[in-house]
Amino acid sequence: MKIQGTMFLWLSFFILACAAVYGVWSKEPVGTTALFLAFGLSVMIGFYLAFTARRVDAMAQDNKEADVADEAGEVGFFAPHSWQPFSLAIGGALAFLGVAVGWWLLYFSAPLLLIGLWGWVFEFYRGENQNQ
């Protein structure tokens, strides 16, 4: 994690330089403020990562001689297949279309959203993927 903290701190200096140059050349307060806020955010993230890196053990990315496989491990569990995100996507698209076309379209999108959300939450409690 030491390298990430260093990268964010160097990035913050670059953003600060960009903010100063942009502020002088453009004389536009909103973009200059946004860049200075991005500088502050980058400093906070870099300081947090550098501070945390002192408290945790060295990871493979901190070792210049490490291989890619040194940090290999279980990424997580992912569902083999699921139709629930498709139902949520169609329901969400109809809901956002309802804002543009008419609120009456929400009557058709709400059941799709609820069915998709219910199915996605409980997909491992029933059917062929039960008890995984």
Side-chain angles (χ1 to χ4, degrees):
M1 287 181 57
K2 293 177 185 174
I3 189 69
Q4 286 98 342
T6 306
M7 286 173 56
F8 267 100
L9 290 174
W10 280 108
L11 177 68
S12 67
F13 292 129
F14 174 75
I15 293 173
L16 180 64
C18 289
V21 170
Y22 183 83
V24 169
W25 278 357
S26 71
K27 295 180 179 47
E28 194 256 326
V30 176
T32 307
T33 304
L35 282 170
F36 278 112
L37 289 174
F39 161 72
L41 182 65
S42 182
V43 167
M44 285 192 299
I45 294 171
F47 176 74
Y48 172 76
L49 289 174
F51 183 75
T52 306
R54 283 187 245 141
R55 297 183 182 271
V56 297
D57 295 333
M59 301 175 75
Q61 59 209 13
D62 295 325
N63 183 6
K64 293 186 187 290
E65 301 296 323
D67 290 330
V68 175
D70 289 344
E71 277 293 320
E74 183 177 336
V75 177
F77 173 76
F78 302 99
H81 65 279
S82 177
W83 286 96
Q84 309 311 324
F86 183 68
S87 172
L88 283 172
I90 297 295
L94 283 176
F96 281 107
L97 188 64
V99 173
V101 174
W103 292 102
W104 57 270
L105 204 52
L106 289 176
Y107 292 118
F108 297 103
S109 67
L112 280 173
L113 284 169
L114 291 175
I115 289 170
L117 185 63
W118 182 271
W120 208 1
V121 168
F122 293 111
E123 74 179 328
F124 290 110
Y125 291 99
R126 59 183 168 75
E128 66 185 36
N129 295 325
Q130 186 175 4
N131 299 328
Q132 281 191 355

